[in-house]
Amino acid sequence: MKRLFFTLATTLLAWNCFAQNTGQVPSKGYALYTANGELKPYDFTRHAVGENDILIETLYCGVCHSDIHQGRGDWSPQSYPLVTGHEIVGRVAQVGAKVTKFKVGDYAGVGCMVNACRHCEYCEAGEEQYCLDGRVLTYGDTDVYHDKELSQGGYSNNIVVDENFAITVPADAPMEKVGPLMCAGITTYSPLVHAKLKKGDKIGIAGFGGLGHMAVQYAVSMGAEVTVFDLTDEKREEALAYGAVRYVNVKKETDLKGLDNTFRFILSTIPSAYDPMMYVNMLKVDGELAVVGMPALKDAPAVSIMAMRGRKKVWFSLIGGIRETQDAVNYSITHNIYPKVEVIPIQKINEAWRNVVDGKVHFRYVIDMGSLK
Ligand code: NDP
Ligand code: ZN
């Protein structure tokens, strides 16, 4: 036993010395080791803090349904060990020589992207999420700017990121609620802004979970008349408390009655198989269905070309650019729009994932990274 402990300790020491010599940053997190396995502790290194980079010590990281989809390989095969998490907020612990946006001690957030080419038409337009030539997602992606290392996410005690891909967070923000603004926030804020909602517009939010409850708050703050769609009656009171005018349990015929030709806009955040035509039929002529929910590939919903009873648009939206993410964070803070969070220690992450899949979270788990000792 003593010998095992000694071997472990010397390996860890050697690994730390190696990391220090190369400037690499030792990191500690929870990773998936296989698509269907449990998340377990994982020690690894991150690339050195470059001249434009900041090192963030993670305080909190939200648990997005995308972590589960991607970790489980729902959309495409993954490489493991994989540290998920892209709703990160923390304190800046180190800054590179050319960093201007942050200083040590500031607070910063990181969402779903950590880099992009910066020269394609979309990067130039501030829509780096649609970069054509080298976008790097926060985890599970090939970091072409760092020797093709596998990017590792926020279920960990730190992250190194280019300052241009970090979001500034004021020191007095409620940090445990800020992480989810980096994904659930921007992903719903962006399509609502692009839909150019007008006061009194009748709109729908389908799927009232982590993303959906943010969408309802943004849409209500923009003056829309919001109807919420979800699978059970359980969240009816909460939807109305957030300012929705109607709650529809999609399993109840009576709730659905009379809704065709009603809405100017519907946002779908649904993460599993469903019939999008039900929502298309509820749109008025020139109405729009925007889709951000991303079910597993095997469950991908299909839109029928027989939807010709009216001129309607179906469009898709992926998170938002860095500038717009900063806008979403600023808007949220100004309008006091935050997720309803349940803070958990990292040791409860596997139970939390099961609860998200089973629809048992109201509304966002957030991991307290202080629990990662
Ligand atoms: P959650 O699990 O927190 O919320 C999903 C909600 O949808 C739950 O309330 C769930 O109900 C409800 N729901 C499930 N099936 C239906 C249905 N058929 N009709 C109505 N409601 C339904 O997930 P998130 O909010 O974290 O994520 C939602 C989706 O958005 C995921 O697919 C995720 O990958 C995707 N996503 C996409 C992004 C983008 O950029 N486009 C960015 C971030 C996430 P119940 O709780 O009862 O199960
Ligand atoms: Zn997400």
Side-chain angles (χ1 to χ4, degrees), residues 232-292:
T232 63
D233 277 327
E234 243 178 64
K235 300 177 186 167
R236 191 178 290 274
E237 295 311 317
E238 284 163 303
L240 300 179
Y242 276 124
V245 295
R246 189 195 284 128
Y247 181 93
V248 175
N249 175 347
V250 295
K251 291 200 170 146
K252 281 189 174 161
E253 284 295 322
T254 44
D255 276 19
L256 286 167
K257 220 168 163 190
L259 289 181
D260 280 3
N261 190 42
T262 300
F263 299 103
R264 124 110 170 81
F265 176 79
I266 297 176
L267 179 66
S268 170
T269 74
I270 299 174
S272 43
Y274 69 103
D275 178 13
M277 297 315 293
M278 182 180 97
Y279 296 105
V280 170
N281 290 335
M282 289 181 195
L283 294 173
K284 295 181 84 68
V285 170
D286 285 325
E288 302 175 31
L289 170 65
V291 179
V292 293

Side-chain angles (χ1 to χ4, degrees), residues 62-67 75 85-87 111-112 139 180 182-185 187 211 319 364:
V63 177
C64 179
H65 207 127
S66 295
D67 299 344
W75 300 323
H86 57 208
E87 294 188 339
C112 302
Y139 58 81
M182 310 295 156
C183 175
T187 302
L211 266 61
I319 44 173
R364 204 53 146 191

